[in-house]
Amino acid sequence: MSEHSLHTPESLRSRSEEITTGLPPLLAEAEHLAATILLGEHGRKRAGTGDEFWQYRQAEAGDPLRAIDWRRSARADTDFVRQTEWQAAQSIMIGLDNGQSMTYSGGDQRPSKLRRAQTLAMALAILAVRGGERVGLTHLGEPPRGGEAQLIRMAAALMDSSETVDYGAPAPQVMPAGSRAVFLSDFLGPLDQIEKALGQAADRGVRGALVQVLDPDEHSFPFDGRTYFESMSGALNFETLKASALRGAYQARLAKRQALLKDMARNTGWRFQYHMTDGPAEPALMWIYHSIEKGGA
């Protein structure tokens, strides 16, 4: 298919229908998952933030008129609001890896890593918005927003997976100073980009959590005999006559990688946890929720 044909009205309409068709199930799953978490007081009394002026942001639907800075707005074609440090700390940014490796599932009765990550991301977004906070996706290059409309925008963006590489990486284009963040990935690709993203976040006072989403087959390595391994994109492949002989070395490398991720997180004030797709999503969301509440401490 040519690049031109990908952008015809017919192809764009077809792609839009694919995305919107998947929204109701994702939102329903996320709503159900979010309902299992008791909101309570959500991040309103955290120390270390105040009412000092931080930056201007464009006014959004729902902002009161008294919040608009008319002097700053007069110099542009749009209205601006003075955002304080306190308000910045009420922002949660979510980074989701949509590389091809995330589409893997080792069993028909469990979701792909991508689907579980999408559900966790949307459930967290729902909790944030219902708690009066702003939320956004790191790869969109847009500031975090509140409101139900933002949830629809995020769901559509999460369903519109366009990565063709095997392993994705966080793309923190927008990380408001003092905000909180969550990166969801299998973290099976190169770790240098993860380390760079965490360093950039730490420089802006952003704290949060790394959540490694894995299929149980990627943890236990249950393969035996002659086995042909191929990456989800088909770019990488490997064949062995005795897969079970590789189990010990594979598990040792995975444990070493998880230790490195934990060290990276700790060194930048973040937290690390892994989650298996054959288990319930509620404990993972609860862990993320409390990690964000604690600011990654």
Side-chain angles (χ1 to χ4, degrees):
M1 182 178 290
S2 68
E3 182 180 357
H4 173 72
S5 65
L6 288 173
H7 295 85
T8 62
E10 291 77 13
S11 63
L12 291 175
R13 186 182 305 111
S14 176
R15 183 65 185 137
S16 298
E17 290 174 353
E18 290 178 16
I19 296 170
T20 55
T21 297
L23 290 185
L26 173 61
L27 288 173
E29 291 174 24
E31 285 275 7
H32 177 75
L33 180 56
T36 65
I37 306 301
L38 181 63
L39 282 175
E41 289 291 326
H42 192 68
R44 290 292 180 183
K45 299 180 179 179
R46 186 176 296 103
T49 59
D51 293 321
E52 294 298 320
F53 171 69
W54 176 55
Q55 69 172 14
Y56 290 107
R57 64 168 175 81
Q58 290 190 5
E60 304 165 5
D63 286 328
L65 288 176
R66 65 178 180 276
I68 295 177
D69 188 293
W70 298 109
R71 180 176 299 178
R72 174 64 182 84
S73 301
R75 302 200 303 268
D77 295 328
T78 186
D79 292 333
F80 284 89
V81 169
R82 290 173 61 91
Q83 189 171 22
T84 65
E85 183 186 1
W86 175 274
Q87 292 168 324
Q90 307 310 309
S91 297
I92 296 177
M93 301 303 299
I94 301 173
L96 189 141
D97 176 0
N98 60 356
Q100 289 297 304
S101 69
M102 289 292 288
T103 63
Y104 175 74
S105 174
D108 296 335
Q109 301 304 313
R110 55 181 179 258
S112 68
K113 295 180 290 182
L114 180 60
R115 183 57 175 217
R116 178 55 60 85
Q118 290 170 334
T119 304
L120 288 170
M122 279 309 305
L124 178 62
I126 289 170
L127 289 176
V129 167
R130 303 285 163 79
E133 303 198 7
R134 301 176 188 277
V135 65
L137 295 173
T138 62
H139 70 279
L140 292 183
E142 300 175 354
R145 295 185 175 93
E148 295 295 320
Q150 176 68 349
L151 295 178
I152 300 299
R153 284 192 292 265
M154 289 182 62
L158 288 173
M159 294 296 295
D160 187 16
S161 177
S162 57
E163 286 288 342
T164 58
V165 297
D166 277 313
Y167 304 108
Q173 297 181 24
V174 176
M175 298 288 278
S179 62
R180 291 156 289 151
V182 177
F183 292 160
L184 296 146
S185 172
D186 56 17
F187 296 116
L188 296 179
L191 294 181
D192 56 338
Q193 295 180 348
I194 310 299
E195 188 172 24
K196 179 180 178 181
L198 287 176
Q200 292 173 342
D203 289 343
R204 296 188 59 78
V206 177
R207 297 292 182 265
L210 300 179
V211 181
Q212 184 180 42
V213 182
L214 295 175
D215 185 273
D217 287 358
E218 294 173 321
H219 187 265
S220 63
F221 200 82
F223 310 105
D224 196 7
R226 183 173 183 174
T227 307
Y228 181 78
F229 298 96
E230 185 177 54
S231 64
M232 299 304 291
S233 72
L236 304 172
N237 58 75
F238 172 75
E239 185 175 11
T240 179
L241 297 177
K242 196 173 182 180
S244 60
L246 304 176
R247 186 172 298 122
Y250 169 85
Q251 291 177 329
R253 291 188 66 176
L254 178 61
K256 182 179 180 179
R257 174 172 287 260
Q258 290 177 329
L260 287 172
L261 286 164
K262 189 173 183 178
D263 286 342
M264 285 183 192
R266 182 172 59 247
N267 292 338
T268 50
W270 285 47
R271 304 182 73 193
F272 169 78
Q273 184 61 277
Y274 69 86
H275 168 70
M276 297 293 171
T277 57
D278 63 338
E282 287 83 359
L285 179 59
M286 182 69 78
W287 183 88
I288 295 170
Y289 178 80
H290 286 298
S291 295
I292 293 298
E293 280 292 293
K294 296 174 183 177

